[in-house]
């Protein structure tokens, strides 16, 4: 299972230690925290002892992807998460005391799934074809490459580059715009010398480390 980072916003309602009253929402606490500190926060909010202070927890919603320890209140991931499929979950946490009669209250738990760099940039086609006339001048745009990465932010930001050309040339014959993916001619071609070029191109995302997708461009010199 791919590890997933989650951010959680828990709106916590204080339980009043009074057997003949339902737990109320007199205080609302907004906290961002890692999973490991949930129990400590719970103990701070519910300091009472005895049956009225013993709280049992349960969850509603979450499509079975989360679980809560009924005693500690620690919420855990119970199923695989994929931000590209669903980026946010709204859960209801039920807190029930052990008094007679038992009283309960609910809190809203908003789980936001943060992106990780788990998708490789994908070109729109495995091979591109550019047909170039000998009369084309330097600066002519030959074609524009396209690649997508469904990740978010820098993880989904794609840049293009040429990493191999056959036959090689010095000075360079082609230039690939790293942002737009536009392939341009840097100098006129001579059909009598080379009739065909093959470029190996790559699309890299901005993740750490970056993930790379590959494609190729066949440049046919039409004479």
């Amino acid at each position: 299972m791919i590890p997933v980072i989650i951010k959680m916003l828990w709106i916590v309602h204080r339980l009043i230690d009074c057997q003949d009253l339902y737990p109320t929402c007199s205080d609302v606490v907004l906290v961002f925290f890692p999973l490991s500190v949930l129990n400590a926060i719970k103990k701070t909010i519910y300091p009472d002892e005895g049956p009225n202070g013993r709280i049992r927890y349960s969850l509603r919603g979450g499509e079975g992807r989360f679980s809560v320890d009924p005693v500690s209140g620690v919420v855990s991931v119970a199923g695989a998460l994929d931000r590209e499929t669903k980026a946010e979950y709204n859960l209801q946490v039920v807190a029930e005391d052990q008094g007679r009669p038992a009283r309960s209250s609910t809190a809203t738990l908003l789980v936001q799934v943060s992106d990780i760099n788990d998708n490789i940039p994908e070109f729109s086609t495995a091979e591109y074809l550019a047909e170039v006339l000998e009369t084309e001048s330097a600066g002519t745009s030959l074609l524009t490459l396209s690649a997508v990465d469904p990740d978010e932010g820098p993880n989904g930001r794609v840049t293009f580059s040429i990493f191999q050309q056959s036959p090689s040339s010095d000075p360079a014959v082609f230039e690939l715009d790293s942002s737009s993916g536009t392939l341009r001619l840097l100098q006129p071609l001579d059909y009598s010398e080379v009739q065909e070029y093959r470029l190996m191109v790559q699309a890299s995302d901005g993740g750490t480390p970056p993930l790379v997708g590959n494609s190729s461009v066949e440049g046919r010199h039409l004479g």
Side-chain angles (χ1 to χ4, degrees):
M1 181 179 69
I2 297 174
V4 176
I5 304 168
I6 64 175
K7 296 177 182 177
M8 297 188 296
L9 175 62
W10 197 341
I11 306 173
V12 183
H13 300 251
R14 182 186 298 274
L15 297 184
I16 294 181
D17 183 31
C18 185
Q19 188 173 349
D20 59 348
L21 294 176
Y22 283 94
T24 64
C25 307
S26 56
D27 293 331
V28 177
V29 183
L30 305 181
V31 189
F32 282 98
F33 44 69
L35 293 175
S36 59
V37 302
L38 286 179
N39 195 36
I41 292 176
K42 184 269 296 184
K43 288 180 178 178
T44 301
I45 296 174
Y46 309 119
D48 299 313
E49 302 297 334
N52 293 342
R54 288 199 294 269
I55 309 300
R56 304 285 290 184
Y57 298 93
S58 60
L59 281 181
R60 296 173 183 165
E63 302 175 5
R65 299 185 184 276
F66 304 92
S67 63
V68 61
D69 186 288
V71 177
S72 69
V74 173
V75 177
S76 304
V77 176
L81 302 177
D82 184 357
R83 187 202 62 83
E84 286 74 41
T85 301
K86 188 166 184 176
E88 188 173 287
Y89 295 85
N90 282 285
L91 314 178
Q92 292 294 314
V93 182
V94 180
E96 184 177 66
D97 65 28
Q98 303 302 296
R100 292 181 179 275
R103 308 300 188 189
S104 66
S105 186
T106 62
T108 299
L109 176 60
L110 176 63
V111 180
Q112 296 175 330
V113 183
S114 296
D115 186 52
I116 62 172
N117 194 25
D118 58 346
N119 289 282
I120 297 174
E122 185 175 344
F123 280 96
S124 57
T125 182
E127 184 173 274
Y128 294 85
L129 174 63
E131 295 182 331
V132 187
L133 294 171
E134 191 173 31
T135 55
E136 298 286 6
S137 60
T140 299
S141 296
L142 304 179
L143 56 80
T144 298
L145 309 181
S146 175
V148 295
D149 187 326
D151 288 320
E152 189 176 44
N155 293 337
R157 191 174 300 127
V158 176
T159 57
F160 300 92
S161 61
I162 300 171
F163 68 90
Q164 185 178 328
Q165 175 186 303
S166 178
S168 60
S169 58
D170 187 17
V173 176
F174 303 99
E175 176 187 57
L176 182 59
D177 188 290
S178 62
S179 299
S180 68
T182 299
L183 182 68
R184 296 185 180 90
L185 195 63
L186 286 181
Q187 56 181 308
L189 301 180
D190 188 340
Y191 183 80
S192 64
E193 293 183 359
V194 180
Q195 290 78 49
E196 183 176 292
Y197 288 93
R198 178 168 290 273
L199 309 178
M200 300 303 295
V201 295
Q202 63 184 20
S204 305
D205 63 28
T208 305
L211 299 180
V212 178
N214 297 321
S215 184
S216 65
V217 179
E218 181 181 346
R220 293 179 182 173
H221 191 179
L222 299 181

